[in-house]
Amino acid sequence: MVELKTRASIDAMYEAGQVVARTLTAVREAADVGVSLLELDEVARDVLRQAGAGSPFLGYRPSFAPTPFPAVICASVNDAIVHGIPTGRRLRDGDLVSIDCGARLGGWVGDSAISFTVGRARPADVRLIETAERALAAGIAAAVPGNRIGDIAHAIGTVCRTGGYGIPDGFGGHGIGRHMHEDPGVPNEGRPGRGLRLRAGMAIAIEPMLIASGHDDWHASPDGWTLKTNDGSRAAHTEHTVAITEDGPRVLTERR
């Protein structure tokens, strides 16, 4: 069931989304060669704590997971696509890092992700991240009343495939509101004009995931959470929480 949010509810979601935005900005600023992923998680915890916000990630346990998620961010490095568990691993020069974070504030949830490099960036990684951001922008632009979920999926997939990148099979965005994962699902590839029609008041998380090699295959790591590329190629992940309004898409997790 898809819940349509009121203007007041969307404003409240924006407040949660801004906590997420501040958290991601702080984590990115703290990320440097020699910094551990656990230290980045502590940075995120501090921002959430100062905002009086909770984490929808911490303790989350979907049906596929062997254990509850133990952190407030997902930290995925190099060949890790999404859902990476922060560990004591220290960042190295040239690492490609994807950070996914959520916040719960006033009963509403925001969810967003960024990818960036640490130290000297590989040109191929820069291009991968830039394409992921363009795919996200294309998906957001298609999130208008009267369009369908397939229009968002097609916009994302076209940018990814045109760039020569793979799209992890079976993963994409989702509805969001009182809970982190709600209806509808938002695929990263699809046919235009298909799927649920978009209406003002819907809120969705749009999140392209790209694999550098152009292949779509992935596998779960032994921790049961981290998804990695089968061929060891690098991956990027970007995400925004977006409200569909009569005035166009409103990005609730915009970073200033």
Side-chain angles (χ1 to χ4, degrees):
M1 178 178 177
V2 177
E3 176 191 7
L4 297 181
K5 280 74 174 178
T6 64
R7 184 178 297 273
S9 296
I10 291 173
D11 287 343
M13 288 187 68
Y14 179 81
E15 295 304 317
Q18 288 307 289
V19 175
V20 178
R22 293 197 299 273
T23 303
L24 288 174
T25 297
V27 169
R28 182 169 188 170
E29 290 176 349
D32 202 354
V33 175
V35 176
S36 77
L37 301 181
L38 279 174
E39 288 170 337
L40 296 182
D41 188 65
E42 282 301 321
V43 169
R45 289 174 188 252
D46 285 344
V47 177
L48 293 175
R49 189 180 304 116
Q50 292 170 16
S55 169
F57 287 23
L58 185 62
Y60 181 58
R61 188 178 184 182
S63 58
F64 68 80
T67 58
F69 196 76
V72 302
I73 61 170
C74 295
S76 306
V77 181
N78 296 335
D79 63 337
I81 307 167
V82 288
H83 303 164
I85 295 176
T87 65
R89 181 198 191 283
R90 296 192 177 277
L91 295 173
R92 304 183 184 97
D93 187 45
D95 276 344
L96 193 166
V97 184
S98 296
I99 302 293
D100 193 355
C101 181
R104 181 180 290 108
L105 185 70
W108 297 98
V109 176
D111 187 12
S112 185
I114 55 173
S115 288
F116 55 88
T117 56
V118 174
R120 291 168 294 183
R122 300 180 183 183
D125 290 344
V126 172
R127 178 174 173 268
L128 175 66
I129 294 168
E130 288 176 346
T131 305
E133 291 172 346
R134 287 203 309 273
L136 176 59
I140 292 170
V144 296
N147 272 1
R148 294 182 179 270
I149 289 292
D151 295 310
I152 297 175
H154 179 71
I156 294 170
T158 297
V159 173
C160 296
R161 297 300 188 189
T162 299
Y165 297 116
I167 301 171
D169 185 43
F171 284 87
H174 49 86
I176 188 169
R178 293 286 185 181
H179 304 281
M180 181 165 58
H181 292 139
E182 299 182 353
D183 292 334
V186 185
N188 285 328
E189 192 168 32
R191 297 176 62 183
R194 299 297 183 92
L196 182 71
R197 188 174 296 280
L198 305 178
R199 298 172 60 190
M202 292 174 64
I204 55 178
I206 300 174
E207 51 179 321
M209 305 166 197
L210 284 66
I211 298 176
S213 65
H215 298 144
D216 300 349
D217 300 327
W218 56 270
H219 65 275
S221 298
D223 63 25
W225 275 100
T226 310
L227 305 186
K228 291 194 170 187
T229 62
N230 275 2
D231 55 13
S233 61
R234 295 190 169 200
H237 175 210
T238 57
E239 178 183 18
H240 270 310
T241 295
V242 180
I244 297 167
T245 79
E246 295 291 355
D247 299 322
R250 182 182 179 189
V251 179
L252 306 181
T253 48
E254 62 179 345
R255 294 180 292 276
R256 299 178 178 179

